[in-house]
Amino acid sequence: MSARLRVCALYPELMNIYADRGNITVLRARCEWRGIGFELASASLRDPLDQDAHDLLYLGGGQDRDQIAVAEDMADTKRSALHAAADRGAVVLAVCGGYQLLGHSYQLGEQSLPGVGLVDLHTVREPGPRLIGNCAIEADLGQGPRVIAGFENHGGRTYLGSGERPLGRVLSGHGNNDRDGQEGVRRGNVIGTYLHGPLLPKNVWLADRLIELALGIELDPLPGDGPEDAAHAAAKRAAGVA
Ligand code: GLN
């Protein structure tokens, strides 16, 4: 197979709590084990972003203070390239702090951090406990309903606009705001979620699906892939949905 996945990690040194770089590692492994080429670029503060150069753009989780540095820069220097990339079908995967910056704004007390407006949502740091714990959702990325399991830890509560669809429905845990049973967002190939784990090592099927969506191909399972891998089963068990 001569396909090649071109990945861009956005702000990898700032937006990478909970070892979210493991998501990139899984994408690389799942590609290389199939003979699919894998290229990794990065774009951080003040770097330009080439709207045509990447098939999958990744933004990980971050502490509030890192998000403050990233939000302005991303809105100023990367917003239009991100929109153009999303419009031509590139996958944009954003986790937790990154997810919060996909929408219109993240309200932190008096401060309102700008988002890039790829999706219609906003996030508010409301009074109340952080939403922490194992979480499982049911999501359908075109293959029928599947479980995504991971770990969430966020102070922000996210609210989707009325025309926006969540990534999945909460089976266990808090999800976007602990109220409406929704978790994450999906608009075309733009996906946001609160689930760390990291996300893709715990949900390898999702890594494969993202590669398919990014490249417009169908993948066969790898030798050794069973009906369910051990990490996914363990993540589901931890969330109480096994
Ligand atoms: N700083 C954000 C919050 O607390 C996101 C945290 C994270 O990425 N885990 O809501």
Side-chain angles (χ1 to χ4, degrees), residues 121-207:
L121 62 81
H122 70 281
T123 300
V124 187
R125 189 69 181 259
E126 293 166 0
R130 294 184 69 79
L131 304 177
I132 303 175
N134 291 299
C135 180
I137 68 173
E138 185 179 75
D140 188 344
L141 281 94
Q143 302 169 310
R146 311 273 304 252
V147 173
I148 303 175
F151 183 81
E152 59 180 325
N153 181 354
H154 49 109
R157 271 77 165 157
T158 295
Y159 298 93
L160 306 189
S162 57
E164 210 63 85
R165 306 290 297 271
L167 174 61
R169 76 181 173 90
V170 174
L171 300 173
S172 160
H174 303 287
N176 280 344
N177 50 50
D178 207 23
R179 287 190 199 149
D180 60 17
Q182 301 186 337
E183 203 291 313
V185 69
R186 179 176 184 209
R187 185 194 290 190
N189 285 350
V190 175
I191 292 172
T193 177
Y194 272 114
L195 299 192
H196 296 280
L199 174 71
L200 299 182
K202 286 190 171 178
N203 301 277
V204 164
W205 72 266
L206 179 58

Side-chain angles (χ1 to χ4, degrees), residues 45-175:
L45 295 175
R46 292 176 293 282
D47 293 335
L49 182 63
D50 181 341
Q51 64 184 50
D52 296 315
H54 313 292
D55 308 303
L56 188 152
L57 297 112
Y58 175 72
L59 183 60
Q63 312 276 7
D64 289 349
R65 67 170 178 276
D66 296 324
Q67 289 174 275
I68 292 170
V70 164
E72 293 282 347
D73 185 84
M74 194 160 69
D76 286 351
T77 68
K78 296 174 184 62
R79 181 199 298 259
S80 62
L82 282 168
H83 279 261
D87 287 348
R88 67 173 170 75
V91 169
V92 178
L93 174 64
V95 173
C96 200
Y99 165 40
Q100 295 171 336
L101 300 182
L102 283 189
H104 301 301
S105 58
Y106 178 23
Q107 188 74 38
L108 269 174
E110 297 294 292
Q111 197 171 10
S112 180
L113 306 186
V116 289
L118 281 177
V119 281
D120 179 19
L121 62 81
H122 70 281
T123 300
V124 187
R125 189 69 181 259
E126 293 166 0
R130 294 184 69 79
L131 304 177
I132 303 175
N134 291 299
C135 180
I137 68 173
E138 185 179 75
D140 188 344
L141 281 94
Q143 302 169 310
R146 311 273 304 252
V147 173
I148 303 175
F151 183 81
E152 59 180 325
N153 181 354
H154 49 109
R157 271 77 165 157
T158 295
Y159 298 93
L160 306 189
S162 57
E164 210 63 85
R165 306 290 297 271
L167 174 61
R169 76 181 173 90
V170 174
L171 300 173
S172 160
H174 303 287

